[in-house]
Amino acid sequence: MSNFIPFGQGFMFSLSLCFDLGIVNVAIIKVGVEQGFRKSFMVGFGSCFGDLIYLTLALLGVSFLFEYPFIRWPLWTVGTIYLVWLAIQMARDAYRPKPGTAPADQQAPSQSRKSLKQHWLTGILLALSSPTTIMWFALIAGPIVGGMKFTFGYGLEWFIAGFFFAGLAWSATIARLSAWSGAAFGQTFVRIISASAAVLLLYFAWHIFTNGLQDLIG
């Protein structure tokens, strides 16, 4: 079997998740507009590891657990709280930008010393708490991965490589575009993105909360 086949399948498999306008993409865009390519890419880079954790669970055949409300409810509760907190922070940035939220080319040198690791960890947490990611792996990825005939030594490692590389490529592209937009359009654009991100995150938080309630009472 050609290694290109499992690599390409893993690549396209990952892109089907990346195309969703979820909380990870919102975060990548916002950080890119405000703080430039490197920090934005680190958010996306971290999310790749979060997705890889869920892919590992799917490969182990345990992703079906996410179909049970008592498993999803704790994740969704934590996710709701985290998203509301992020939405509040972004709303504050829209109303009164902090010193470190100017486009990357307008920031003072001292404002560029924030840890890249912090953005990487944020990406992991966002991926793990994303409702669309959880449901995607539970309802779509699990059955597909379960039906695959790839094993280690026979294409599975190339499938995983393609899956991870697609996430990196997507993150790099979105980070570059958002960083360019922030540099080109300035502080007003930062405010618009921050306000839009706050609204989207509140929507995602409400979506998680309502779905959790339905599972709890249903």
Side-chain angles (χ1 to χ4, degrees):
M1 178 188 298
S2 171
N3 291 329
F4 178 78
I5 295 177
F7 182 89
Q9 289 184 359
F11 190 93
M12 298 305 296
F13 191 59
S14 180
L15 282 185
S16 68
L17 173 63
C18 293
F19 284 147
D20 175 67
L21 183 59
I23 59 177
V24 174
N25 282 331
V26 170
I28 293 173
I29 293 171
K30 183 176 185 294
V31 173
V33 168
E34 294 180 350
Q35 303 180 48
F37 171 78
R38 291 180 63 200
K39 293 181 179 180
S40 177
F41 175 72
M42 288 304 292
V43 174
F45 185 45
S47 73
C48 292
F49 286 91
D51 293 341
L52 198 59
I53 291 173
Y54 281 134
L55 178 62
T56 301
L57 294 176
L59 290 170
L60 292 174
V62 298
S63 63
F64 72 91
L65 292 174
F66 294 120
E67 297 180 20
Y68 293 98
F70 68 89
I71 296 293
R72 291 201 302 263
W73 177 248
L75 292 173
W76 285 358
T77 300
V78 174
T80 299
I81 296 172
Y82 185 53
L83 292 181
V84 170
W85 181 82
L86 284 177
I88 292 173
Q89 300 302 310
M90 293 183 183
R92 287 178 178 175
D93 289 347
Y95 177 69
R96 184 179 298 173
K98 295 177 291 187
T101 59
D105 62 340
Q106 298 177 18
Q107 293 183 25
S110 61
Q111 295 170 355
S112 62
R113 297 175 185 170
K114 292 182 179 180
S115 173
L116 293 175
K117 182 180 179 181
Q118 191 173 23
H119 290 279
W120 178 73
L121 290 173
T122 297
I124 294 178
L125 291 174
L126 286 173
L128 293 177
S129 63
S130 170
T132 53
T133 301
I134 293 172
M135 296 307 297
W136 187 82
F137 276 102
L139 303 179
I140 299 175
I144 292 177
V145 171
M148 289 191 323
K149 298 181 179 180
F150 301 137
T151 58
F152 277 106
Y154 295 92
L156 182 58
E157 65 274 19
W158 286 98
F159 178 88
I160 295 173
F163 181 89
F164 192 78
F165 183 77
L168 286 180
W170 176 268
S171 298
T173 301
I174 299 300
R176 177 58 65 191
L177 290 173
S178 58
W180 172 83
S181 299
F185 299 107
Q187 188 66 34
T188 299
F189 192 63
V190 171
R191 288 176 178 266
I192 293 173
I193 289 296
S194 295
S196 301
V199 172
L200 283 173
L201 288 175
L202 284 176
Y203 166 76
F204 290 134
W206 175 252
H207 179 70
I208 295 174
F209 181 72
T210 54
N211 281 343
L213 280 181
Q214 289 176 3
D215 282 343
L216 189 64
I217 65 178

